[in-house]
Amino acid sequence: MNKRYTTWNDYLRDNFGEKVFKVPIDAGFDCPNRDGTVAHGGCTFCSVSGSGDMIVAPEESIPVQVEKEIEFLHQKWPGVKKYIAYFQNFTNTHGPVAVLRERFEQAVDRPDIVGINIGTRPDCLPDDVLDYLSELNERMTVWVELGLQTTYQETSDLINRAHDYQTYLDAVEKLRARGILVCVHLINGLPGETHEMMVENVRRVVEDSDIQGIKLHLLHLMTGTRMQRDFHQGDLQLMAFDDYVNVICDQLEIIPKEISIHRLTGDAPREMLIGPMWSLKKLEVLNAIDAELERRNVFQGDKVC
């Protein structure tokens, strides 16, 4: 391990013996807080592509998307031979299980796909879907990435998540009962959340739920989102570079070492990004986190009781 925290690459190399890449896929799903199932309008931070802004060819069929993503990856990493199908944007279990099966199988039906990561919401995991995921888990590694974003109900309501923390806890319990790996998503910099609240978000999820991975995102303000209006009205303060680095390091110190860190920042297309503009320099952000951990002389999990 070259970092002071357990990276997603560490996990992949330990479990597959070599470098493995995620292949992002747009499977054409919607979200229940967009289509009226539980709410309308979607999360206030979400773009029209549902966090799939970096997918190479979202308009293509699923097999073609997989092929084009692999071709794109090989431009920089030609030696990679194993991949994980990543159903990334919107809610990828929001539909009948027959539809899920038909779409997922199009991606995993090739020998170089060794796993599947499924981005979804905790309120979209009925028993028949869980049973299918359990079946998939017997064939390959299955990760379910649960968008939680915050443990605070007032923030959740403000950003229109339309589910509560207990729903998340129940979903993790059901997934783990079937042996499925769980990665939780949290966003730093949501409206009204202080440094202490962001750290508390992490403390709660690692103590309250049996997770194996965590993604820590920076709130990106993008054009075409409902949150854009809040920013222009002065109701949203974007995080400063140093504040973000400090909160990430404080969060890492309370995450057990066995939990893999899937992300410590995020990506947003330059042409859509309103701010923070420093987030475009992703390598600088990651290097600053490494430097701060070294300055503190701390590692992931050092403050776990």
Side-chain angles (χ1 to χ4, degrees):
M1 186 172 74
N2 297 322
K3 300 277 189 177
R4 288 176 175 251
Y5 54 91
T6 306
T7 69
W8 172 238
N9 279 333
D10 293 331
Y11 165 82
L12 292 172
R13 288 188 182 277
D14 288 347
N15 285 272
F16 296 103
E18 59 189 278
K19 197 172 188 65
V20 181
F21 271 109
K22 290 168 76 172
V23 177
I25 297 164
D26 183 337
F29 292 104
D30 204 339
C31 285
N33 65 340
R34 292 168 59 100
D35 66 11
T37 304
V38 296
H40 291 279
C43 296
T44 61
F45 58 80
C46 196
S47 69
V48 293
S49 66
S51 300
D53 305 291
M54 308 299 281
I55 295 175
V56 171
E59 71 287 348
E60 300 283 4
S61 68
I62 290 173
V64 172
Q65 285 187 57
V66 173
E67 196 60 44
K68 287 194 172 184
E69 289 287 348
I70 289 174
E71 289 175 4
F72 178 75
L73 290 169
H74 279 183
Q75 293 175 22
K76 189 171 183 180
W77 294 280
V80 177
K81 300 176 182 178
K82 293 180 180 179
Y83 310 95
I84 292 173
Y86 180 25
F87 287 79
Q88 180 179 12
N89 55 327
F90 294 118
T91 303
N92 292 280
T93 59
H94 182 43
V97 69
V99 174
L100 271 58
R101 183 185 294 271
E102 185 268 337
R103 296 181 188 180
F104 292 173
E105 296 296 336
Q106 290 184 62
V108 302
D109 187 26
R110 43 185 294 165
D112 53 358
I113 299 291
V114 296
I116 183 171
N117 281 38
I118 301 162
T120 191
R121 289 164 52 97
D123 57 350
C124 291
L125 290 166
D127 287 343
D128 59 347
V129 169
L130 288 165
D131 291 342
Y132 170 54
L133 297 182
S134 182
E135 174 193 322
L136 266 179
N137 200 40
E138 295 177 1
R139 296 157 49 194
M140 62 183 59
T141 301
V142 176
W143 279 87
V144 170
E145 300 194 13
L146 289 178
L148 175 62
Q149 320 313 353
T150 180
T151 65
Y152 289 91
Q153 193 59 47
E154 58 270 33
T155 309
S156 186
D157 292 342
L158 186 64
I159 63 175
N160 198 39
R161 282 301 294 173
H163 68 75
D164 61 13
Y165 185 48
Q166 188 58 50
T167 301
Y168 158 79
L169 296 175
D170 293 342
V172 175
E173 184 176 358
K174 291 176 182 178
L175 288 163
R176 294 302 298 137
R178 290 166 170 81
I180 297 167
L181 301 170
V182 178
C183 175
V184 62
H185 292 210
L186 293 171
I187 296 178
N188 289 321
L190 289 172
E193 294 207 350
T194 64
H195 180 108
E196 291 74 22
M197 292 170 73
M198 296 176 216
V199 175
E200 179 66 9
N201 279 325
V202 169
R203 187 197 65 77
R204 288 176 179 174
V205 297
V206 300
E207 292 185 2
D208 297 347
S209 57
D210 179 18
I211 59 171
Q212 291 67 54
I214 189 167
K215 274 189 176 181
L216 299 172
H217 296 262
L218 167 68
L219 174 66
H220 289 112
L221 181 63
M222 293 191 287
T223 58
T225 61
R226 295 168 67 188
M227 197 173 280
Q228 182 180 1
R229 178 191 59 194
D230 299 332
F231 178 70
H232 290 311
Q233 291 176 346
D235 298 328
L236 173 65
Q237 183 70 41
L238 299 177
M239 289 194 77
F241 182 96
D242 290 344
D243 292 339
Y244 188 75
V245 169
N246 280 320
V247 78
I248 285 289
C249 292
D250 287 349
Q251 290 170 326
L252 286 171
E253 288 190 65
I254 62 171
I255 299 173
K257 289 180 172 62
E258 63 269 19
I259 294 176
S260 54
I261 309 300
H262 292 218
R263 178 170 286 181
L264 289 181
T265 182
D267 299 303
R270 179 183 292 271
E271 65 274 12
M272 295 178 64
L273 184 65
I274 298 172
M277 299 310 293
W278 55 260
S279 67
L280 292 169
K281 300 177 180 179
K282 188 173 181 180
L283 186 58
E284 288 186 19
V285 178
L286 295 174
N287 286 342
I289 292 168
D290 291 342
E292 177 61 15
L293 291 171
E294 186 171 355
R295 187 194 69 78
R296 298 184 185 189
N297 192 27
V298 297
F299 292 83
Q300 177 185 335
D302 275 2
K303 289 187 177 178
V304 174
C305 297

